[in-house]
Coordinates of all heavy atoms in Angstrom, one line a residue:
R15 N 7.2 8.7 -8.5 CA 6.1 9.1 -7.6 C 6.7 9.5 -6.2 O 7.5 8.8 -5.7 CB 5.2 7.9 -7.4 CG 4.0 8.2 -6.4 CD 3.2 6.9 -6.3 NE 2.2 7.1 -5.2 CZ 0.9 6.8 -5.3 NH1 0.4 6.4 -6.5 NH2 0.1 7.0 -4.3
I16 N 6.2 10.7 -5.7 CA 6.7 11.2 -4.4 C 5.5 11.3 -3.5 O 4.4 11.8 -3.9 CB 7.3 12.6 -4.6 CG1 8.6 12.5 -5.5 CG2 7.7 13.2 -3.3 CD1 9.1 13.8 -5.9
E17 N 5.6 10.8 -2.3 CA 4.5 10.9 -1.3 C 5.0 11.5 0.0 O 6.1 11.1 0.5 CB 4.0 9.5 -1.0 CG 3.2 8.9 -2.1 CD 2.6 7.5 -1.7 OE1 2.2 7.4 -0.5 OE2 2.5 6.7 -2.6
N18 N 4.2 12.3 0.6 CA 4.4 12.9 1.9 C 5.8 13.6 2.1 O 6.3 13.5 3.2 CB 4.3 11.8 3.0 CG 2.9 11.2 3.0 OD1 1.9 11.9 2.9 ND2 2.8 9.9 3.0
A19 N 6.3 14.3 1.1 CA 7.5 15.0 1.3 C 7.3 16.2 2.2 O 6.3 16.9 2.0 CB 8.1 15.4 0.0
D20 N 8.2 16.5 3.1 CA 8.0 17.7 4.0 C 8.5 18.9 3.2 O 9.5 18.9 2.5 CB 8.9 17.5 5.2 CG 8.3 16.4 6.1 OD1 7.1 16.2 6.2 OD2 9.1 15.6 6.7
A21 N 8.0 20.1 3.6 CA 8.3 21.3 2.9 C 9.7 21.8 3.4 O 10.4 22.5 2.6 CB 7.3 22.4 3.2
M22 N 10.1 21.5 4.5 CA 11.5 21.9 5.0 C 12.1 20.8 5.7 O 11.5 20.1 6.5 CB 11.3 23.1 6.0 CG 10.8 24.4 5.3 SD 11.9 25.0 4.0 CE 13.1 25.8 5.0
P23 N 13.4 20.5 5.4 CA 14.2 21.1 4.4 C 13.7 20.6 3.0 O 13.0 19.6 2.9 CB 15.6 20.6 4.7 CG 15.4 19.3 5.3 CD 14.1 19.4 6.1
F24 N 14.1 21.3 2.0 CA 13.7 21.0 0.6 C 14.4 19.7 0.1 O 15.5 19.4 0.5 CB 14.1 22.1 -0.3 CG 13.4 23.4 -0.1 CD1 14.1 24.5 0.5 CD2 12.1 23.5 -0.4 CE1 13.4 25.7 0.7 CE2 11.4 24.7 -0.2 CZ 12.1 25.8 0.4
S25 N 13.7 19.0 -0.7 CA 14.3 18.0 -1.5 C 14.6 18.5 -2.9 O 14.0 19.5 -3.3 CB 13.3 16.8 -1.7 OG 12.9 16.3 -0.4
W26 N 15.5 17.9 -3.6 CA 15.8 18.4 -4.9 C 15.9 17.2 -5.9 O 16.4 16.1 -5.6 CB 16.9 19.4 -5.0 CG 18.3 18.8 -5.0 CD1 18.9 18.0 -5.8 CD2 19.3 19.2 -4.0 NE1 20.2 17.7 -5.4 CE2 20.5 18.5 -4.3 CE3 19.3 20.0 -2.9 CZ2 21.6 18.6 -3.6 CZ3 20.4 20.1 -2.2 CH2 21.6 19.4 -2.5
I27 N 15.5 17.5 -7.1 CA 15.6 16.6 -8.2 C 16.3 17.4 -9.3 O 15.7 18.3 -9.8 CB 14.1 16.1 -8.7 CG1 13.2 15.7 -7.6 CG2 14.3 15.1 -9.9 CD1 13.6 14.4 -7.0
K28 N 17.6 17.1 -9.5 CA 18.4 18.0 -10.3 C 19.2 17.2 -11.3 O 19.9 16.2 -11.0 CB 19.4 18.7 -9.3 CG 20.3 19.7 -9.9 CD 21.1 20.3 -8.8 CE 22.2 21.3 -9.4 NZ 23.0 21.8 -8.4
N29 N 19.2 17.8 -12.6 CA 20.1 17.2 -13.7 C 19.8 15.8 -14.0 O 20.7 15.0 -14.2 CB 21.5 17.5 -13.4 CG 21.9 18.9 -13.3 OD1 21.3 19.8 -14.0 ND2 22.8 19.3 -12.4
N30 N 18.6 15.4 -13.9 CA 18.2 14.0 -14.2 C 17.5 13.8 -15.5 O 17.0 14.8 -16.0 CB 17.2 13.5 -13.1 CG 17.9 13.5 -11.7 OD1 18.8 12.8 -11.4 ND2 17.4 14.4 -10.9
T31 N 17.5 12.6 -16.0 CA 16.7 12.3 -17.2 C 15.7 11.2 -16.9 O 16.1 10.2 -16.3 CB 17.6 11.9 -18.4 OG1 18.5 12.9 -18.7 CG2 16.7 11.6 -19.6
F32 N 14.4 11.5 -17.1 CA 13.3 10.6 -16.8 C 12.9 9.9 -18.1 O 12.7 10.6 -19.1 CB 12.1 11.4 -16.2 CG 12.4 11.9 -14.9 CD1 13.1 13.1 -14.7 CD2 12.0 11.3 -13.7 CE1 13.3 13.6 -13.4 CE2 12.2 11.8 -12.5 CZ 12.9 13.0 -12.3
Y33 N 12.8 8.6 -18.1 CA 12.4 7.9 -19.3 C 11.0 7.2 -19.0 O 10.9 6.5 -18.0 CB 13.4 6.8 -19.6 CG 14.7 7.4 -20.1 CD1 15.7 7.8 -19.2 CD2 15.0 7.5 -21.5 CE1 16.9 8.3 -19.7 CE2 16.1 8.0 -22.0 CZ 17.1 8.4 -21.1 OH 18.3 9.0 -21.5
S34 N 10.1 7.4 -19.9 CA 8.8 6.8 -19.9 C 8.5 6.1 -21.2 O 9.0 6.5 -22.2 CB 7.7 7.9 -19.7 OG 7.9 8.7 -18.5
P35 N 7.7 5.1 -21.1 CA 7.3 4.3 -22.3 C 6.5 5.3 -23.3 O 5.9 6.2 -22.9 CB 6.4 3.2 -21.9 CG 6.6 3.1 -20.4 CD 7.0 4.5 -19.9
A36 N 6.6 4.9 -24.6 CA 5.9 5.7 -25.6 C 4.4 5.9 -25.4 O 3.8 6.9 -25.6 CB 6.1 5.1 -27.0
D37 N 3.8 4.9 -24.8 CA 2.3 4.9 -24.5 C 2.0 5.4 -23.1 O 0.9 5.1 -22.6 CB 1.7 3.5 -24.8 CG 2.3 2.4 -24.0 OD1 3.4 2.6 -23.5 OD2 1.7 1.3 -23.9
Y38 N 2.9 6.1 -22.5 CA 2.7 6.6 -21.1 C 1.4 7.4 -21.0 O 1.2 8.4 -21.7 CB 3.9 7.5 -20.8 CG 3.9 8.0 -19.4 CD1 4.2 7.2 -18.3 CD2 3.7 9.4 -19.1 CE1 4.3 7.7 -17.0 CE2 3.7 9.9 -17.8 CZ 4.0 9.1 -16.8 OH 4.1 9.6 -15.5
S39 N 0.6 6.9 -20.1 CA -0.7 7.6 -19.9 C -1.4 7.2 -18.6 O -2.5 6.8 -18.6 CB -1.6 7.3 -21.1 OG -1.8 5.9 -21.1
P40 N -0.7 7.4 -17.4 CA -1.4 7.2 -16.2 C -2.6 8.1 -16.0 O -2.6 9.3 -16.5 CB -0.4 7.5 -15.1 CG 0.8 7.9 -15.8 CD 0.6 7.9 -17.2
P41 N -3.7 7.7 -15.4 CA -4.9 8.5 -15.3 C -4.6 9.9 -14.6 O -4.0 9.9 -13.5 CB -5.9 7.7 -14.5 CG -5.4 6.3 -14.6 CD -3.9 6.4 -14.8
D42 N -5.0 11.0 -15.1 CA -4.9 12.3 -14.5 C -3.5 12.8 -14.3 O -3.3 13.7 -13.5 CB -5.7 12.4 -13.2 CG -7.2 12.1 -13.5 OD1 -7.7 12.5 -14.5 OD2 -7.7 11.4 -12.6
I43 N -2.5 12.1 -14.9 CA -1.1 12.5 -14.7 C -0.5 12.8 -16.1 O -0.5 11.9 -16.9 CB -0.3 11.5 -13.9 CG1 -0.9 11.3 -12.6 CG2 1.2 11.8 -13.9 CD1 -0.4 10.1 -11.8
F44 N 0.0 14.0 -16.3 CA 0.5 14.3 -17.6 C 2.0 14.6 -17.6 O 2.6 15.2 -18.6 CB -0.2 15.5 -18.1 CG -1.7 15.3 -18.1 CD1 -2.5 15.9 -17.1 CD2 -2.4 14.5 -19.0 CE1 -3.8 15.6 -17.0 CE2 -3.7 14.3 -18.9 CZ -4.5 14.8 -17.9
C45 N 2.7 14.2 -16.6 CA 4.1 14.5 -16.4 C 4.8 13.2 -15.9 O 4.1 12.3 -15.4 CB 4.3 15.6 -15.3 SG 3.5 17.2 -15.7
P46 N 6.1 13.2 -15.9 CA 6.8 12.0 -15.4 C 6.8 11.9 -13.9 O 7.0 10.8 -13.4 CB 8.2 12.1 -16.0 CG 8.4 13.6 -16.1 CD 7.1 14.1 -16.5
V47 N 6.7 13.0 -13.2 CA 6.7 13.0 -11.7 C 5.3 13.3 -11.2 O 4.6 14.3 -11.7 CB 7.7 14.1 -11.2 CG1 7.6 14.1 -9.7 CG2 9.1 13.8 -11.7
A48 N 4.9 12.5 -10.2 CA 3.6 12.8 -9.6 C 3.8 12.9 -8.1 O 4.4 12.1 -7.4 CB 2.6 11.6 -9.8
E49 N 3.3 14.0 -7.5 CA 3.5 14.3 -6.1 C 2.1 14.1 -5.4 O 1.1 14.7 -5.7 CB 3.9 15.8 -5.9 CG 5.3 16.1 -6.3 CD 5.6 17.5 -5.9 OE1 4.8 18.3 -5.4 OE2 6.8 17.9 -6.2
Y50 N 2.1 13.1 -4.4 CA 0.9 12.8 -3.7 C 1.1 13.3 -2.2 O 2.2 13.0 -1.6 CB 0.7 11.3 -3.6 CG 0.2 10.7 -5.0 CD1 1.2 10.4 -6.0 CD2 -1.1 10.5 -5.2 CE1 0.7 9.9 -7.2 CE2 -1.5 10.0 -6.4 CZ -0.6 9.7 -7.4 OH -1.0 9.2 -8.6
D51 N 0.1 13.9 -1.7 CA 0.1 14.4 -0.3 C 1.4 15.1 0.0 O 2.0 14.9 1.1 CB -0.1 13.2 0.6 CG -1.4 12.4 0.3 OD1 -2.4 13.0 0.1 OD2 -1.3 11.2 0.1
T52 N 1.8 16.0 -0.9 CA 3.1 16.7 -0.7 C 2.8 18.2 -1.0 O 2.1 18.5 -2.0 CB 4.1 16.1 -1.7 OG1 4.4 14.8 -1.3 CG2 5.4 17.0 -1.8
D53 N 3.4 19.0 -0.2 CA 3.3 20.5 -0.4 C 4.0 20.8 -1.8 O 5.1 20.3 -2.0 CB 4.0 21.2 0.7 CG 3.9 22.7 0.6 OD1 4.3 23.3 -0.5 OD2 3.5 23.4 1.5
S54 N 3.3 21.5 -2.6 CA 3.9 21.8 -4.0 C 5.2 22.5 -4.0 O 5.9 22.6 -5.0 CB 2.8 22.5 -4.9 OG 2.6 23.8 -4.3
T55 N 5.6 23.1 -2.8 CA 6.9 23.8 -2.8 C 8.0 22.9 -2.1 O 9.1 23.4 -1.9 CB 6.7 25.1 -2.0 OG1 6.4 24.8 -0.6 CG2 5.7 26.0 -2.6
A56 N 7.7 21.7 -1.8 CA 8.6 20.8 -1.0 C 9.8 20.3 -1.8 O 10.8 20.0 -1.3 CB 7.8 19.7 -0.4
V57 N 9.6 20.2 -3.1 CA 10.6 19.6 -4.0 C 11.0 20.6 -5.0 O 10.2 21.2 -5.7 CB 10.1 18.3 -4.7 CG1 11.2 17.7 -5.5 CG2 9.6 17.3 -3.6
L58 N 12.3 20.8 -5.1 CA 12.9 21.7 -6.2 C 13.3 20.9 -7.4 O 14.0 19.9 -7.2 CB 14.1 22.5 -5.6 CG 13.9 23.4 -4.4 CD1 15.3 23.9 -4.0 CD2 12.9 24.5 -4.8
Y59 N 12.8 21.3 -8.5 CA 13.1 20.6 -9.8 C 14.1 21.5 -10.6 O 13.7 22.6 -10.9 CB 11.9 20.3 -10.6 CG 10.9 19.4 -9.9 CD1 9.9 19.9 -9.1 CD2 11.2 18.0 -9.9 CE1 9.0 19.0 -8.4 CE2 10.3 17.1 -9.2 CZ 9.3 17.7 -8.5 OH 8.4 16.8 -7.8
I60 N 15.3 21.1 -10.8 CA 16.3 21.9 -11.5 C 16.9 21.2 -12.7 O 17.5 20.1 -12.5 CB 17.4 22.2 -10.5 CG1 16.8 22.9 -9.2 CG2 18.5 23.1 -11.1 CD1 17.8 22.9 -8.0
N61 N 16.7 21.7 -13.9 CA 17.4 21.2 -15.1 C 17.2 19.7 -15.3 O 18.2 19.0 -15.5 CB 18.9 21.6 -15.0 CG 19.6 21.5 -16.3 OD1 19.0 21.8 -17.3 ND2 20.8 21.0 -16.3
N62 N 15.9 19.3 -15.4 CA 15.7 17.9 -15.7 C 15.1 17.7 -17.1 O 14.6 18.7 -17.7 CB 14.6 17.4 -14.7 CG 15.1 17.3 -13.3 OD1 16.0 16.6 -12.9 ND2 14.6 18.2 -12.4

């Protein structure tokens, strides 16, 4: 979970492996990463 990340400078999440339980099902979230109150361009996701 990421909260309140600033758009500049960028953050990056690169070359990582995310592990979730088989029954993973948080409400309204369909991905391993959830960004709250964060500009959608603030974090770069590269090769995860």
Side-chain angles (χ1 to χ4, degrees):
R15 178 180 171 129
I16 298 172
E17 289 185 32
N18 298 314
D20 294 323
M22 291 301 277
F24 294 108
S25 296
W26 76 63
I27 310 291
K28 180 179 178 184
N29 297 327
N30 300 291
T31 303
F32 293 81
Y33 290 84
S34 304
D37 57 344
Y38 182 73
S39 59
D42 302 318
I43 299 169
F44 308 101
C45 301
V47 177
E49 291 184 357
Y50 288 83
D51 305 310
T52 293
D53 184 306
S54 63
T55 64
V57 182
L58 299 175
Y59 298 97
I60 304 163
N61 196 34
N62 295 291

